[in-house]
Amino acid sequence: MNDDDGLDSPPWRGDADADPFCERPGRRFSVCKQILGGPFRFESTSQALLHLVEVAYGGLPQHHLPLTTPEFRIELRLLPRQASLGGVEPPPVIQQSGAGLLTGVMDASNYAVLAPEQHRALVVASEDMLSRPYHLRYELIEFAVFTLATRGLGLVPLHGACVGRHGRGILLLGASGSGKSTLALHSLLQGLDFLAEDAIFVQPENLLATGVANYLHVQVDALRFIDDDAARQWITQAPVIRRRSGVEKFEADLRQGHGRLAAVPLELAGAVFVSSQPADDPDVLLSPIPRDEIAARLSADQRYAAGQPGWHGFERQLMQLGVHQLRRGRHPRASVDALRQLLD
C-alpha cells in the first residue's frame, strides 16, 4: 500500500509524521479564572472552547481559601467533527486511573486526562460536542476542574447544596429527588446566600465550603411554589437540559441577579439531610440525627468523598456541630425558615 497518496491519513492532521502527538498546535489563547479557591489557567487554540469556559465560570464570586494555592493549568483541544450522531446522546464517561494519571473517556475524540500531582489536565473534544455544551461543560471540563481542585487543594468533594448568611453555611444533603435543588432555590429567593446546588467542596481543617454558583437546575413541578413573576420568568426562559437519567430541568443562570451569591467561602454551621417525606407536624420540620448514627449516614450518602483524604477530620467536626433531618412542610418557605434557625 502506498502511503504517499495521503488517502490513509485524515487531511485535518496535517503533517502527522512530523508532529504525531500534536505537540506544536499553533497559536494559543488563554483565560484565567479563580475557581473553588484556586487559580486556573485555560489554554486553547480554539476560541469556541474558551468561550465555554467563560460561559461556565465567568462572573462568579472570587473565592479564596486560607492556604497557598498552586496554579492549575488545563489545555483544551478541539478535534474535527465526528460522523453525525444525530440526536443520539454522547456515550457515558468511563473513568480510570494509573501511572499517576486520571482519565474520563467518552470516546476516542472526547476525553480528559489529568495529572493531579502536576496540577495539569488535557481536555479533548470534537467539534460536534460544541452542539452539546451541557455534556461538554459538566462531564469533561468540569470533571477536570473539580478533580484538580479536590486533589490539589485537599478539599472534600460532596454531592449536595449549600446556602447560608453572614458567612455561615448549612450543607444540604440527601438522595437525588429529595428536594435539595428546590430548597436551595427557595433559600435564594428568600434572601439567603447561595453557594452551590450540586457540588460542594470543603476544606476539612476549618470547614470552609466553596462551590461554583453558575447554574441552578429546576424541574417543572417545582415552579408551582414560585409566586414571584420575575423569578418564574427567569427560570422558564432558561434553556432546558436533559440529565443522563432522562430527567429534564431548566438551567437557570444564577449570575443574572435573582438573589445573592456567597461572596466568600462559607464556614459550615451544620448539615441537614433533606427528606421528600412530609413532616408529621407541619410546624416541626427539623429533627436532630442521633450522634451515633451520623457517621454511617454521612458515609452512605457520600460514598466517593468518604474514601478521600480529609474525610475523617471533616466527619468529626460535622458531628460536633450537629446534623439534622429536614422533612417537608406545607411550602418550601417553611423549610427555609427552619434553615434560618440553624444559622442563628
Side-chain angles (χ1 to χ4, degrees), residues 84-212:
S84 176
L85 298 177
V88 177
E89 190 174 66
V93 172
I94 298 175
Q95 298 176 357
Q96 190 57 266
S97 67
L101 302 175
L102 303 175
T103 63
V105 180
M106 282 184 179
D107 56 35
S109 299
N110 296 279
Y111 56 87
V113 181
L114 284 61
E117 294 299 320
Q118 299 177 34
H119 309 123
R120 303 191 70 164
L122 169 67
V123 175
V124 177
S126 56
E127 287 180 331
D128 49 306
M129 282 297 291
L130 294 174
S131 64
R132 297 176 170 88
Y134 172 76
H135 293 288
L136 178 49
R137 278 192 284 116
Y138 282 94
E139 298 184 0
L140 293 178
I141 297 176
E142 187 171 275
F143 165 68
V145 169
F146 284 6
T147 305
L148 286 182
T150 297
R151 303 297 175 91
L153 301 177
L155 305 178
V156 175
L158 303 169
H159 175 60
C162 185
V163 297
R165 63 176 178 175
H166 305 315
R168 303 174 76 233
I170 293 293
L171 263 179
L172 309 180
L173 306 174
S176 296
S178 62
K180 296 187 299 294
S181 293
T182 298
L183 179 53
L185 165 63
H186 283 274
S187 297
L188 177 79
L189 298 179
Q190 295 300 313
L192 295 185
D193 293 339
F194 187 99
L195 187 71
E197 64 110 15
D198 191 50
I200 304 297
F201 299 82
V202 179
Q203 196 171 34
E205 308 87 60
N206 48 29
L207 290 191
L208 283 178
T210 183
V212 176

Side-chain angles (χ1 to χ4, degrees), residues 2-342:
N2 187 349
D3 292 334
D4 294 334
D5 59 9
L7 296 178
D8 296 320
S9 298
W12 55 265
R13 288 195 61 181
D15 191 353
D17 291 335
D19 186 19
F21 296 103
C22 300
E23 295 173 282
R24 302 189 293 273
R27 184 186 179 192
R28 290 184 183 179
F29 305 92
S30 66
V31 170
C32 297
K33 298 292 179 186
Q34 182 75 14
I35 310 170
L36 301 178
F40 279 79
R41 178 183 294 274
F42 299 86
E43 298 175 317
S44 183
T45 60
S46 167
Q47 295 280 27
L49 288 177
L50 291 179
H51 174 69
L52 274 181
V53 171
E54 192 64 40
V55 167
Y57 305 115
L60 292 174
Q62 301 291 297
H63 286 187
H64 296 268
L65 294 170
L67 46 73
T68 302
T69 59
E71 181 184 62
F72 301 99
R73 299 184 67 174
I74 298 179
E75 180 182 343
L76 306 171
R77 184 173 297 172
L78 189 65
L79 297 185
R81 188 176 301 276
Q82 299 186 84
S84 176
L85 298 177
V88 177
E89 190 174 66
V93 172
I94 298 175
Q95 298 176 357
Q96 190 57 266
S97 67
L101 302 175
L102 303 175
T103 63
V105 180
M106 282 184 179
D107 56 35
S109 299
N110 296 279
Y111 56 87
V113 181
L114 284 61
E117 294 299 320
Q118 299 177 34
H119 309 123
R120 303 191 70 164
L122 169 67
V123 175
V124 177
S126 56
E127 287 180 331
D128 49 306
M129 282 297 291
L130 294 174
S131 64
R132 297 176 170 88
Y134 172 76
H135 293 288
L136 178 49
R137 278 192 284 116
Y138 282 94
E139 298 184 0
L140 293 178
I141 297 176
E142 187 171 275
F143 165 68
V145 169
F146 284 6
T147 305
L148 286 182
T150 297
R151 303 297 175 91
L153 301 177
L155 305 178
V156 175
L158 303 169
H159 175 60
C162 185
V163 297
R165 63 176 178 175
H166 305 315
R168 303 174 76 233
I170 293 293
L171 263 179
L172 309 180
L173 306 174
S176 296
S178 62
K180 296 187 299 294
S181 293
T182 298
L183 179 53
L185 165 63
H186 283 274
S187 297
L188 177 79
L189 298 179
Q190 295 300 313
L192 295 185
D193 293 339
F194 187 99
L195 187 71
E197 64 110 15
D198 191 50
I200 304 297
F201 299 82
V202 179
Q203 196 171 34
E205 308 87 60
N206 48 29
L207 290 191
L208 283 178
T210 183
V212 176
N214 49 9
Y215 296 102
L216 181 68
H217 297 97
V218 184
Q219 293 193 64
V220 172
D221 61 359
L223 296 174
R224 69 185 188 274
F225 294 114
I226 300 176
D227 304 320
D228 183 82
D229 290 338
R232 177 182 286 269
Q233 185 177 35
W234 161 55
I235 295 169
T236 56
Q237 289 183 349
V240 175
I241 58 94
R242 187 174 186 272
R243 300 276 201 185
R244 291 280 185 182
S245 63
V247 174
E248 293 187 341
K249 296 187 176 185
F250 293 105
E251 188 176 54
D253 195 329
L254 288 159
R255 295 158 289 186
Q256 294 181 356
H258 294 274
R260 287 198 308 267
L261 304 184
V264 297
L266 299 179
E267 182 179 353
L268 293 181
V272 300
F273 280 95
V274 181
S275 172
S276 61
Q277 299 300 314
D280 296 331
D281 181 347
D283 294 322
V284 182
L285 306 187
L286 281 172
S287 59
I289 294 176
R291 185 181 174 86
D292 60 354
E293 297 178 11
I294 291 176
R297 288 284 299 270
L298 288 173
S299 296
D301 188 67
Q302 304 290 328
R303 294 177 60 191
Y304 174 70
Q308 298 302 303
W311 171 260
H312 294 298
F314 162 78
E315 183 183 69
R316 284 195 300 271
Q317 293 200 68
L318 204 56
M319 289 172 64
Q320 292 176 0
L321 292 174
V323 179
H324 291 75
Q325 179 168 270
L326 177 66
R327 293 183 180 271
R328 292 189 178 183
R330 298 187 181 95
H331 192 281
R333 282 194 297 266
S335 297
V336 177
D337 290 339
L339 294 182
R340 284 197 178 97
Q341 296 175 30
L342 297 177

